[in-house]
Amino acid sequence: MSPETPTLVAYRFDVPETPVETALPDQPWLRSADEVASGLGCETSRGLTPGDASARLERFGPNRLESEPPVPRWRKFLSHLADPLVYLLLAAVVVSLAVWAIEGAEDVPFEALVILVIVIANAILGYVQEARAERAVAALQEMASTSASVLRDGEEMQVPSVEVVPGDVLLLAEGDAVSADARVFDVASLMVAEASLTGESEPVSKSTAPLDEPSSLGDRTNMVFNGTAVTRGRGRAIVTATGMASEMGNIARLLDTTEEARTPLQREVDAIGRALGIAVIIISAVVVGTILLGSEIREPADFVAVLLVGVSLAVAAVPESLPAVLSLVLALGVQRMAHKNAIVKKLSSVETLGSASVVGSDKTGTLTRSEMTLVKVATPSGEVDVTGTGYRPEGEVLAGDEPIPEGPLLEEVGLVLMGGSLANDAVLRRENGEWVIHGDPTEGAFLVAEAKLGLTASREARFRRVGEIPFSSERKLMTTLQADAERDGQVDVVTKGAPDVLLARCTLELVAGEKRALTEERRRQILATVDRLAGQALRTMAVAYRPLPDGASSSDEDAVEQEMIYLGTVGIIDPPRPEARAAVADALEARIRILMITGDHPLTAARIAGDLGISEQEAVVTGSELEEMDDDGLSAVVRSATVFARVAPEHKLRIVRALQAEGNIVAMTGDGVNDAPALKAADIGVAMGLTGTDVTKEASDMVLADDNFATIIAAVREGRGIFANIRKFLRFLLSSNTGEVLTMFLGVVLAGVIGLEQAGGAVAVPLLATQILWINLLTDTGPALAMGVEPPPHDVMLRPPRHLTERVIDKEMWIGIIWVGLVMAVVTLTALDLGLPGGLFEGTGTIDEARTMAFTTLVFAQLFNCFNARSDRSSAFRSLFTNGWLWGAVALSGLLQVAVVQAPWLNQAFGTVPLGPRDWSICIALASLVLWAAELRKLIARRLGTEGEASVWSGDDRRAPGGQSPASMSML
């Protein structure tokens, strides 16, 4: 937006070409915050009312950038007809109708009409599948949408970012994504990364004062902009523009949408389709040429029939529904993940998820409950226990088994808890009868313990915050400046943070109300206490204070946080999640390494890692040790170490890169803004949905709605299951289509052997064009889709992670596809021969009867193949009834085939005749041979014990990488 723009313009989302003039102030960066608020009709202390916000949302439209206009439904439908093979079919229909008209148009042109109906039916099915996939993806995007903190009617609340409106008061904190352009009016060390908008590489420090003159975008230091991210501090700002009226919206108008790159899986499927297309066109040409050379073409209709056979063969052999089925299976699978609290943001991430070989997880809230409870307080005068669990402020503070008596210990404990509650941004509230914490759970633990001691009211009445130095992962400290009403407004610096870091900034300690010098002996004693508490799986936090020196300012962090007075240390427990141990065992059994990467104390990390089964060793690699390692040293460490403690976000990034350099597929969790680089660098970035920042969520590939480690492993399991299902329907479709191609090719080549050339017709082929297309319609829809929604295989977590470079269809799978296709062709041609005079088996039927038997045998052979295709190795009879959808699809397809054969009104359309019980028995018995032949091949493969789909590691190779032991392993 240029400085010359006379008024701000908001755009309705539904009619973006029509600007709606508003009363918003011109160039808000040149005006005071009060002027901007007045022009917007809002109060900075209370924000908008819900009613006013709703009215503005109706007026200005959703806060989102315009997308490309939706493609009309009719165009989507026609896109499913835009295929060269479909064009050939339609051309053949036109030629067939023309010949029919030339010959007198006496009978109904059943063949042309049936082909036309099947082509349209295929297009409808493709359209429906695409629509379902789009709906599933849209639902996922809705679940992954970001939210914004706003002030509405004096209450802080979270609203979807799309509902932010001009005049809203945004509440900004470290890690938040800025959801709209806004004028800043309150800051505390607020810094914003604006590289995505201005190209400025360093975060920009924000202030509240109006600018003196028109400025470029990068120099508007009192504004925050849509699409940027808060990297430090906090602030409040009045929204001045949303959606397409924002600066990001102006840029969006200049950009063309780009199509998302196709995934390796999609590219491989496309390559398979192209290769099949070329092969089948060649085979179709050979079949057509052989028929033309070996048959007497008497009429134009004979030539059209041969042409239809060739085209139909090509269409049937290429599984053109594969892309739609693939997208739908991925979308439905990812939607199932979302219902289990794992929100995968892109379908392409499913491939990577199933291939994860290392999961680097934070501890707090992911492997543990994140119900932080302060249970220990250690002061210079002694140590006390705090009873009670969770956030309900009910419990006692005990010295031994007795309440603390009046005296120095009680006073010191009160100062520690009050100090931790002052250096704090959390809020303890009672909502709907339950006590909840808004903010960091660790900070909330101080508030709950303070309330148990009954100090909350006096603290709130006595102290007023006048400044702060926000927490940062680099400093591991948080400081507030508090004016004390009981000491005539004297300002104190109150700090809490990591004990080792804070103790290094202390020179004194408070003992029984007296300040004493911190000797080296006392420092060792305090650190020994910290280690003892950490060894009990407690998270330790220290509290210190000092009077603010005259002339000092919170802007000078190094000067303020020095020469502190140590008050004491607390121990906070966050017990492991019960489900996390089972999830860790499942991951190790799947040969997935689990690394704990935490900023917590090494002893605490080691204790929790041991309890969860992550590590059998007590050795822990610390952040300070990582600092001293070069890349080679780090590579050696990540091969064996499983627990990393006291790490900073930049250490996470180094660990990710070192693991990837070793050939691992890495999933990494994170919640803070500084975790974003590591999550972006990881193959699968996993953000926390409850405690994660918006920036982290945007950088991630997956969001955990419940912050639970078990959800990651459940998602990996689901991802492996989805990939296994993709292999299943690929195996089914390709083997079935191979059977159709070989049936036609071998039927024409071996016509003399099976008696087909003696059938008496001018053009004798194993199957008619309409029959081939009907088979394709049956098999490419219901059964294939049903395979895509099968439960994960029983052994899916017993297999090693799949390498992304591995082919989806490997050598063994191709052998199985060709074997099944060959058997399918043999049994189909056998049924044809049994119905014809002459050949290998003497029959007495007509060509129509023989074709009907062959047609039926091939359909049921493909239905039997549904069960065979569920695995390359496992028997089809294992877990036979776990997929009700598959049984339903098979039953429906079988009934439709019975109708095509037995219903008189369909006989003429498909060139069939009714079959008797004996013929039906022969067809089904022959078709079942496909299943028995596949079972024989699988049995041989299992006995030989070669590597394949269902392989598990055995013998001496019973340990996962990094020295971790799977809980149990077994041979199938």
Side-chain angles (χ1 to χ4, degrees):
M1 193 177 301
S2 67
E4 292 77 18
T5 305
T7 57
L8 293 180
V9 178
Y11 285 80
R12 291 184 185 275
F13 182 73
D14 51 349
V15 282
E17 71 279 359
T18 307
V20 179
E21 296 296 334
T22 74
L24 300 180
D26 178 29
Q27 302 179 25
W29 50 92
L30 299 178
R31 302 175 182 273
S32 69
D34 290 338
E35 286 182 273
V36 174
S38 176
L40 288 164
C42 71
E43 297 181 34
T44 56
S45 60
R46 297 191 61 80
L48 300 174
T49 65
D52 194 7
S54 297
R56 295 185 186 213
L57 183 62
E58 178 68 22
R59 180 181 181 187
F60 298 117
N63 175 34
R64 57 188 171 200
L65 302 181
E66 293 174 9
S67 58
E68 285 291 298
V71 178
R73 293 182 180 179
W74 64 270
R75 286 183 58 187
K76 288 184 178 180
F77 175 76
L78 290 180
S79 69
H80 292 277
L81 297 173
D83 183 277
L85 294 175
V86 175
Y87 296 155
L88 282 174
L89 269 182
L90 294 176
V93 168
V94 171
V95 172
S96 178
L97 289 174
V99 172
W100 169 74
I102 292 170
E103 293 182 343
E106 295 179 357
D107 298 321
V108 176
F110 281 107
E111 190 170 67
L113 293 179
V114 169
I115 293 173
L116 190 60
V117 168
I118 290 176
V119 167
I120 294 174
N122 261 322
I124 292 173
L125 287 168
Y127 172 80
V128 171
Q129 290 168 1
E130 182 185 43
R132 288 193 66 189
E134 287 177 352
R135 286 196 299 270
V137 172
L140 290 172
Q141 291 173 341
E142 186 70 23
M143 295 180 72
S145 61
T146 60
S147 60
S149 295
V150 298
L151 193 65
R152 294 266 175 95
D153 212 11
E155 293 288 331
E156 297 181 11
M157 61 176 62
Q158 293 283 323
V159 301
S161 295
V162 294
E163 295 181 10
V164 172
V165 296
D168 259 329
V169 174
L170 285 181
L171 308 178
L172 304 171
E174 180 177 323
D176 287 350
V178 181
S179 55
D181 292 2
R183 171 66 164 84
V184 177
F185 66 86
D186 179 31
V187 296
S189 303
L190 181 66
M191 301 192 75
V192 180
E194 297 180 348
S196 60
L197 189 65
T198 66
E200 176 63 47
S201 58
E202 294 295 325
V204 178
S205 178
K206 296 297 179 179
S207 62
T208 60
L211 303 182
D212 296 330
E213 58 186 15
S215 304
S216 62
L217 195 61
D219 294 327
R220 297 172 192 169
T221 54
N222 57 10
M223 296 287 295
V224 291
F225 302 103
N226 180 22
T228 60
V230 179
T231 60
R232 186 175 180 186
R234 62 174 181 82
R236 298 189 175 203
I238 309 163
V239 174
T240 58
T242 59
M244 294 303 292
S246 68
E247 296 294 344
M248 192 63 75
N250 289 338
I251 294 175
R253 287 194 185 89
L254 305 176
L255 301 178
D256 293 324
T257 58
T258 57
E259 187 175 346
E260 185 177 348
R262 296 180 70 75
T263 70
L265 173 61
Q266 290 170 324
R267 289 197 296 269
E268 184 169 350
V269 169
D270 290 344
I272 292 170
R274 286 193 298 270
L276 281 175
I278 294 171
V280 169
I281 288 172
I282 295 172
I283 292 174
S284 297
V286 171
V287 169
V288 170
T290 303
I291 295 172
L292 292 175
L293 290 174
S295 302
E296 185 179 349
I297 304 300
R298 302 169 181 169
E299 303 172 351
D302 293 336
F303 180 80
V304 171
V306 175
L307 175 64
L308 282 176
V309 167
V311 173
S312 301
L313 179 59
V315 172
V318 178
E320 59 277 339
S321 64
L322 255 184
V325 174
L326 178 62
S327 296
L328 183 58
V329 168
L330 285 171
L332 292 178
V334 171
Q335 205 169 37
R336 287 198 305 273
M337 288 187 192
H339 293 314
K340 297 178 182 178
N341 296 314
I343 302 173
V344 178
K345 294 165 64 178
K346 290 185 178 180
L347 298 183
S348 57
S349 300
V350 173
E351 288 180 69
T352 316
L353 194 60
S355 304
S357 57
V358 178
V359 176
S361 175
D362 199 355
K363 176 182 73 67
T364 303
T366 308
L367 291 165
T368 58
R369 292 175 178 269
S370 195
E371 295 177 351
M372 307 299 288
T373 305
L374 196 152
V375 295
K376 292 278 188 181
V377 183
T379 73
S381 296
E383 188 173 313
V384 301
D385 297 311
V386 182
T387 65
T389 58
Y391 299 142
R392 184 177 293 276
E394 296 175 358
E396 297 180 282
V397 182
L398 305 176
D401 295 327
E402 301 293 331
I404 308 177
E406 295 288 338
L409 180 58
L410 180 60
E411 292 177 3
E412 291 172 10
V413 169
L415 286 173
V416 171
L417 297 181
M418 187 178 291
S421 298
L422 287 170
N424 199 310
D425 283 330
V427 178
L428 175 65
R429 288 180 184 163
R430 189 168 189 172
E431 297 178 357
N432 300 321
E434 296 291 332
W435 289 91
V436 296
I437 292 293
H438 291 276
D440 185 86
T442 301
E443 294 191 340
F446 277 99
L447 299 179
V448 174
E450 180 197 44
K452 292 175 182 178
L453 207 58
L455 300 175
T456 304
S458 61
R459 169 182 59 82
E460 291 177 345
R462 178 177 171 182
F463 291 98
R464 177 175 58 87
R465 182 183 294 193
V466 295
E468 69 178 85
I469 303 174
F471 173 85
S472 74
S473 53
E474 292 81 14
R475 297 185 312 113
K476 296 185 173 64
L477 299 172
M478 177 183 180
T479 295
T480 62
L481 278 61
Q482 304 285 343
D484 187 350
E486 292 185 3
R487 292 159 51 217
D488 298 326
Q490 168 67 46
V491 176
D492 287 331
V493 179
V494 185
T495 304
K496 76 172 190 310
D500 51 344
V501 176
L502 183 54
L503 196 62
R505 297 173 181 250
C506 293
T507 56
L508 303 171
E509 64 177 331
L510 193 66
V511 185
E514 295 182 2
K515 299 173 185 176
R516 297 182 184 176
L518 261 178
T519 64
E520 288 303 315
E521 177 62 25
R522 275 295 295 146
R523 291 179 188 274
R524 284 194 292 270
Q525 291 175 359
I526 292 170
L527 291 176
T529 299
V530 170
D531 289 344
R532 178 169 52 80
L533 295 177
Q536 299 171 17
L538 300 180
R539 183 176 185 180
T540 55
M541 298 281 287
V543 180
Y545 87 104
R546 70 177 291 198
L548 183 68
D550 293 339
S553 167
S554 61
S555 61
D556 189 355
E557 298 174 6
D558 290 335
V560 169
E561 295 175 338
Q562 297 294 336
E563 299 182 2
M564 305 287 289
I565 303 168
Y566 173 77
L567 293 176
T569 297
V570 301
I572 301 173
I573 190 168
D574 183 16
R577 292 180 181 266
E579 64 273 24
R581 183 174 181 83
V584 168
D586 287 345
L588 298 183
E589 196 167 42
R591 298 198 75 178
I592 301 172
R593 285 185 64 197
I594 305 299
L595 307 184
M596 177 189 286
I597 305 174
T598 177
D600 217 336
H601 194 281
L603 291 177
T604 305
R607 171 70 180 273
I608 296 294
D611 289 347
L612 293 175
I614 293 175
S615 175
E616 299 173 357
Q617 308 166 357
E618 295 185 0
V620 177
V621 180
T622 64
S624 57
E625 292 171 340
L626 292 175
E627 291 282 0
E628 299 175 358
M629 295 179 188
D630 59 16
D631 290 343
D632 292 337
L634 180 59
S635 295
V637 166
V638 298
R639 293 190 195 108
S640 58
T642 55
V643 182
F644 298 82
R646 282 287 187 260
V647 297
E650 58 268 22
H651 298 145
K652 272 191 177 183
L653 182 59
R654 286 192 67 199
I655 291 171
V656 167
R657 289 174 173 166
L659 289 167
Q660 289 173 327
E662 295 291 316
N664 293 290
I665 304 300
V666 183
M668 181 65 69
T669 71
D671 54 8
V673 62
N674 290 327
D675 288 330
L679 265 61
K680 201 168 187 66
D683 300 285
I684 310 161
V686 183
M688 301 298 106
L690 298 177
T691 60
T693 62
D694 288 342
V695 174
T696 312
K697 292 174 187 176
E698 290 181 1
S700 67
D701 303 295
M702 184 170 80
V703 178
L704 301 184
D706 58 358
D707 291 10
N708 193 338
F709 175 82
T711 303
I712 302 175
I713 305 305
V716 171
R717 180 184 183 87
E718 191 72 38
R720 288 189 175 191
I722 291 171
F723 195 82
N725 288 346
I726 290 171
R727 284 174 56 91
K728 289 175 186 178
F729 71 70
L730 280 173
R731 185 184 298 115
F732 168 68
L733 288 176
L734 295 178
S735 58
S736 296
N737 290 350
T738 300
E740 295 172 31
V741 172
L742 291 177
T743 295
M744 295 299 292
F745 178 73
L746 295 177
V748 171
V749 172
L750 303 176
V753 177
I754 61 177
L756 186 59
E757 65 182 9
Q758 302 173 18
V763 178
V765 291
L767 297 171
L768 300 178
T770 51
Q771 294 170 348
I772 297 173
L773 293 175
W774 173 251
I775 296 172
N776 208 43
L777 182 65
L778 282 185
T779 59
D780 276 14
T781 51
L785 280 175
M787 285 186 166
V789 295
E790 282 219 344
H794 67 280
D795 62 340
V796 73
M797 293 300 278
L798 295 178
R799 309 170 191 173
R802 168 185 171 266
H803 292 292
L804 289 179
T805 55
E806 289 182 11
R807 304 302 299 265
V808 179
I809 306 178
D810 55 21
K811 178 182 177 181
E812 182 173 3
M813 188 167 164
W814 274 120
I815 292 172
I817 288 170
I818 295 170
W819 169 250
V820 169
L822 183 60
V823 173
M824 201 175 289
V826 169
V827 298
T828 302
L829 294 176
T830 300
L832 184 70
D833 193 359
L834 286 171
L836 289 172
L840 298 175
F841 307 98
E842 185 64 37
T844 59
T846 65
I847 182 61
D848 289 338
E849 292 172 340
R851 278 183 182 146
T852 302
M853 289 184 65
F855 176 35
T856 302
T857 300
L858 185 53
V859 168
F860 279 90
Q862 295 195 6
L863 295 183
F864 277 112
N865 190 34
C866 290
F867 302 101
N868 158 65
R870 297 168 72 205
S871 174
D872 256 344
R873 288 296 188 87
S874 296
S875 169
F877 298 98
R878 187 166 192 170
S879 304
L880 186 60
F881 299 102
T882 56
N883 188 352
W885 289 105
L886 182 59
W887 280 97
V890 168
L892 178 61
S893 298
L895 289 174
L896 290 173
Q897 179 62 20
V898 170
V900 165
V901 173
Q902 300 298 124
W905 59 279
L906 290 174
N907 289 155
Q908 189 172 1
F910 288 94
T912 57
V913 296
L915 298 178
R918 177 180 175 276
D919 293 335
W920 274 105
S921 299
I922 293 173
C923 292
I924 294 175
L926 285 172
S928 70
L929 292 177
V930 170
L931 180 60
W932 304 120
E935 285 292 296
L936 177 62
R937 188 193 69 83
K938 291 179 184 180
L939 179 62
I940 294 172
R942 288 197 300 270
R943 291 291 173 84
L944 292 176
T946 55
E947 292 296 322
E949 175 195 29
S951 64
V952 292
W953 59 113
S954 58
D956 294 333
D957 186 16
R958 295 182 61 84
R959 295 182 67 82
Q964 294 173 297
S965 299
S968 64
M969 299 180 186
S970 61
M971 290 299 294
L972 295 180

